[in-house]
Structures are given as structure tokens and as C-alpha cells.
Amino acid sequence: MTYHADTVTALQGGALILYDLLFIEGLDLAGDPDEWGIWTGPDNITTDVVSGSTGGNVSRSYVGGGTLVKIPQIVDSIGLESRAVNYDVSQINTYTRDMVFGAKLRRARVTHNRGIRNPATHLWVSEPEVIFVGRIDTIDGNMSAAGGEGNITLSCRPDIIDLNVTNPAMKSDESTRKLFGGTRFRRYDVAEVVPRRWGMQADSKGKAK
């Protein structure tokens, strides 16, 4: 991953104010596209960030004030393993509650950006860089006891999880010949619709367990 020169200079300087921004692209309950932005800052902002799809800059809005509670440690590594990346969001904030319970977030696209602000001016040294891109796999709620603190965990997986897609309708040539009595008639007919399994907890019909 290549960072902007101003970002590299700020990292080398050591005097940093870091903020994390999480942008989610999913569906509302009617099935129409919708999007949400949350970040670790104290207020609501609209700012340019680096796009996780194009690498260019894109303007996005984020709601702060305790919406994004916990950020995972993300480590770059070599390989095709699909590791879970868990983000904790507030269970009492109205915006995050509406986002989780009033929308369809499974398989929603997630882009995590991290920005650096100048301690003197409190302005971005450059557009917040992309840290992680993936999709939501599962959502777990941790309800708190009286006087305690709870959260909602968005468990995300990188796009590499698509390599785990299986086709349960695949059969060998030998089993196909047995099924049709040895004939090859209509062997290349139109294929049927096959359920597409996705996620770590999907059943044979592609639905979450």
C-alpha cells in the first residue's frame, strides 16, 4: 500500500492525532441501497477520503460522538487466509442502532480509513488512507447489565472470502452418466440456478445460520 507523502512525513514526525473512519454500503429494509458513516471523532463531518474501490478521493459524511467504539488491530500479511476484523459500535447511540436494526447489513461493503491531523492546526495532513476493505459477515450484540457497557460487534471479512464460494450442485461426469442412463443427451442444456454460499456461517442455501 502506498501512502501520500504528507502522511509519511507526519508518521515519521511522531506528533500525531489519529482518527478512524468507517463507511458502510448496504441496503435498507426495503432492499434499496443505503450508506452510513461513523468515526472516532467528537462531531459530525463531511470530508474527502481515499476510496477503497478506485484509489481516488471521494467525499463522505461521518457521524461521531461515540458511534465507533473500538477499532481492531489490523496487520498486513501474505497469504489467502480470510481473517475476521471486528469493529465495535455503540448500542445506545440512535444512529448506530438505526443502522444495525433498521437495515440489511449482511454482506454490506465496509471501508476503513485512518486519518492524521496536524496537532497545531487540527487539519488533515492528507486525505485519510484506506486501512481495510471488506464486507460484514456477522453482527453480534453484547447487551450490558445495569450500570455496565455493551456494544455491537460488526465482524467483517476481506474480499478474499469470495474464493471460499462453493457450488453444491457440482457432480462428476460419472455420476451424471449414471443419472441419465449413460446418455449424453442434453448434457449442455441451460444450467439451473445454484445457491451461492457466502460467509463463514452460511448454510447450504446461502443463508446465515
Side-chain angles (χ1 to χ4, degrees):
M1 182 180 295
T2 302
Y3 292 120
H4 191 280
D6 292 338
T7 298
V8 175
T9 301
L11 291 171
Q12 293 173 341
L16 308 175
I17 301 177
L18 299 178
Y19 289 100
D20 291 278
L21 307 93
L22 193 68
F23 194 76
I24 301 171
E25 300 169 88
L27 302 174
D28 62 20
L29 293 181
D32 297 321
D34 206 347
E35 55 191 32
W36 304 265
I38 54 179
W39 74 309
T40 53
D43 48 13
N44 302 341
I45 62 170
T46 297
T47 184
D48 286 348
V49 298
V50 177
S51 169
S53 302
T54 66
N57 295 337
V58 60
S59 178
R60 286 174 174 168
S61 298
Y62 298 87
V63 175
T67 52
L68 187 53
V69 178
K70 185 178 179 181
I71 302 298
Q73 181 178 2
I74 300 177
V75 180
D76 291 336
S77 61
I78 298 175
L80 298 178
E81 181 180 352
S82 177
R83 298 182 177 88
V85 179
N86 298 326
Y87 298 91
D88 287 355
V89 303
S90 171
Q91 69 167 349
I92 61 174
N93 182 277
T94 302
Y95 183 82
T96 52
R97 286 181 63 86
D98 289 345
M99 177 185 74
V100 172
F101 300 111
K104 300 177 181 180
L105 294 188
R106 178 162 170 77
R107 298 183 62 183
R109 188 167 183 81
V110 173
T111 304
H112 175 191
N113 292 77
R114 179 168 294 163
I116 303 174
R117 284 189 167 177
N118 186 311
T121 65
H122 210 66
L123 298 175
W124 299 121
V125 298
S126 65
E127 288 75 15
E129 305 279 359
V130 176
I131 300 297
F132 171 81
V133 175
R135 277 172 284 173
I136 296 176
D137 187 20
T138 61
I139 301 176
D140 296 314
N142 177 24
M143 305 304 292
S144 63
E149 294 183 3
N151 55 52
I152 300 172
T153 300
L154 309 179
S155 182
C156 305
R157 298 275 175 173
D159 288 340
I160 196 69
I161 196 174
D162 279 343
L163 296 182
N164 295 331
V165 172
T166 59
N167 184 352
M170 290 181 62
K171 295 181 175 64
S172 67
D173 179 66
E174 181 180 359
S175 63
T176 302
R177 293 177 64 182
K178 289 180 180 179
L179 181 63
F180 293 103
T183 179
R184 299 297 181 91
F185 180 66
R186 299 188 66 181
R187 182 184 181 191
Y188 298 106
D189 202 353
V190 178
E192 295 182 0
V193 176
V194 178
R196 180 180 175 89
R197 300 183 63 185
W198 193 97
M200 305 304 293
Q201 301 294 328
D203 59 20
S204 60
K205 295 182 181 180
K207 299 180 180 179
K209 294 181 179 178

